[in-house]
């Protein structure tokens, strides 16, 4: 299956808000409420930031939020901080019981 | 605390075989699926497959089906990713991760760098 589509890069200034989109199909993003988002800093393992479209794991800042409309999911980050600069990946469950990642988005603060 | 500890970096030649490991601790190992994710140099994450430690039920991405084997040894709470014939294009960091929350990888291993070069 094809990777989910994310913008290659987004940028924002400290304190601002940004949104990263993740577009799939009705066989993945649009068909299930199982979209998750991961943050990866250089040289580090990914970290779960959002699961089930809009749920934050314990310990993740409330500045991070997720949503979905049709075949597109979104990750929003408010009050940007320097530490938010990282790569972000979306992922979705699929109709073949596999999962698929997006191509990744580099956030520059 | 959920912890996944992966085996160390490997340097192999094309055609060789390899099995890397991922040891889970701090949770009920047999109850939660463990997956593997590839990250080629400078590239994004790719979902390879996932295994249920309880019954070894395994699902592979079509891209990796037949290219790797995922297995688990419950008695030592360890999952494995194995290649029978490595290629240069297998050079990557491989992460294991545990799926505690539905269809999301809650905790990740530190990654294993596999370098395949003649």
């Amino acid at each position: 299956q094809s990777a989910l589509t994310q913008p290659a890069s987004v940028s924002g200034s400290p304190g601002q808000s940004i949104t990263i989109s993740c577009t799939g199909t009705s066989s993945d993003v649009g068909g299930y409420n199982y979209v998750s988002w991961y943050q990866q800093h250089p040289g580090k393992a990914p970290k779960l930031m959002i699961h089930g479209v809009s749920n934050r794991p314990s310990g993740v800042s409330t500045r991070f939020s997720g949503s979905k409309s049709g075949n597109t999911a979104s990750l929003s980050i408010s009050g940007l901080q320097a530490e938010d600069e990282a790569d972000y990946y979306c992922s979705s469950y699929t109709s073949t019981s596999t999962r698929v990642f997006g191509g990744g988005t580099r956030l520059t603060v | 605390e959920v912890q996944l500890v992966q085996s160390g970096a490997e340097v192999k030649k094309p055609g060789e075989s390899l099995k890397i490991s991922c040891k889970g601790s701090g949770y009920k190992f047999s109850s939660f699926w463990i997956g593997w994710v590839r990250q080629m140099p400078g590239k994004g994450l790719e979902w390879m497959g996932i295994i249920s430690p309880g019954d070894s039920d395994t699902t592979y991405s079509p891209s990796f089906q037949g290219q790797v084997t995922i297995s688990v040894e419950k008695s030592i709470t360890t999952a494995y990713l194995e290649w029978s014939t490595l290629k240069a294009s297998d050079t990557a960091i491989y992460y294991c991760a545990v799926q505690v929350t539905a269809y999301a990888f809650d905790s990740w291993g530190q990654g294993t760098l596999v370098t395949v070069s003649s």
Side-chain angles (χ1 to χ4, degrees):
Chain A
Q1 68 258 17
S2 300
L4 306 176
T5 300
Q6 298 181 232
S9 63
V10 299
S11 63
S13 300
Q16 287 187 333
S17 298
I18 63 95
T19 297
I20 299 171
S21 62
C22 170
T23 301
T25 69
S26 58
S27 296
D28 39 63
V29 174
Y32 308 91
N33 288 323
Y34 293 129
V35 175
S36 50
W37 289 89
Y38 302 87
Q39 176 192 66
Q40 186 181 34
H41 287 109
K44 301 294 188 182
K47 174 187 176 183
L48 179 65
M49 304 302 284
I50 296 287
H51 65 86
V53 174
S54 60
N55 301 295
R56 272 186 312 277
S58 174
V60 172
S61 171
T62 56
R63 298 185 298 105
F64 291 83
S65 62
S67 62
K68 190 185 86 167
S69 177
N71 295 338
T72 298
S74 299
L75 173 71
S76 297
I77 310 174
S78 61
L80 275 176
Q81 300 178 0
E83 67 206 50
D84 299 332
E85 186 162 293
D87 294 326
Y88 291 85
Y89 296 89
C90 61
S91 178
S92 176
Y93 179 79
T94 80
S95 59
T96 55
S97 300
T98 61
R99 328 288 187 262
V100 61
F101 283 103
T105 299
R106 177 149 297 176
L107 169 61
T108 301
V109 180
Chain B
E1 176 198 4
V2 175
Q3 194 169 16
L4 298 175
V5 178
Q6 298 185 228
S7 49
E10 302 274 2
V11 179
K12 291 289 190 179
K13 290 181 166 41
E16 292 186 331
S17 63
L18 175 64
K19 193 172 188 177
I20 62 175
S21 66
C22 169
K23 182 171 177 60
S25 63
Y27 70 102
K28 189 174 180 182
F29 183 80
S30 59
S31 295
F32 302 104
W33 293 65
I34 290 182
W36 288 92
V37 175
R38 182 175 78 174
Q39 188 166 38
M40 299 176 76
K43 302 298 183 182
L45 305 176
E46 298 175 88
W47 192 88
M48 300 177 71
I50 198 165
I51 188 166
S52 168
D55 59 7
S56 294
D57 184 19
T58 309
T59 300
Y60 292 94
S61 162
S63 300
F64 293 94
Q65 178 84 49
Q67 307 304 307
V68 298
T69 301
I70 295 171
S71 61
V72 66
E73 193 165 345
K74 275 193 301 185
S75 62
I76 56 171
T77 65
T78 299
Y80 300 97
L81 179 64
E82 183 175 16
W83 295 259
S84 58
T85 307
L86 284 163
K87 298 174 283 193
S89 58
D90 292 318
T91 295
I93 296 173
Y94 294 87
Y95 293 101
C96 64
V98 63
Q99 180 181 279
V100 176
T101 307
Y103 307 114
F105 285 140
D106 303 70
S107 292
W108 294 65
Q110 82 275 23
T112 295
L113 174 61
V114 174
T115 303
V116 184
S117 175
S118 55

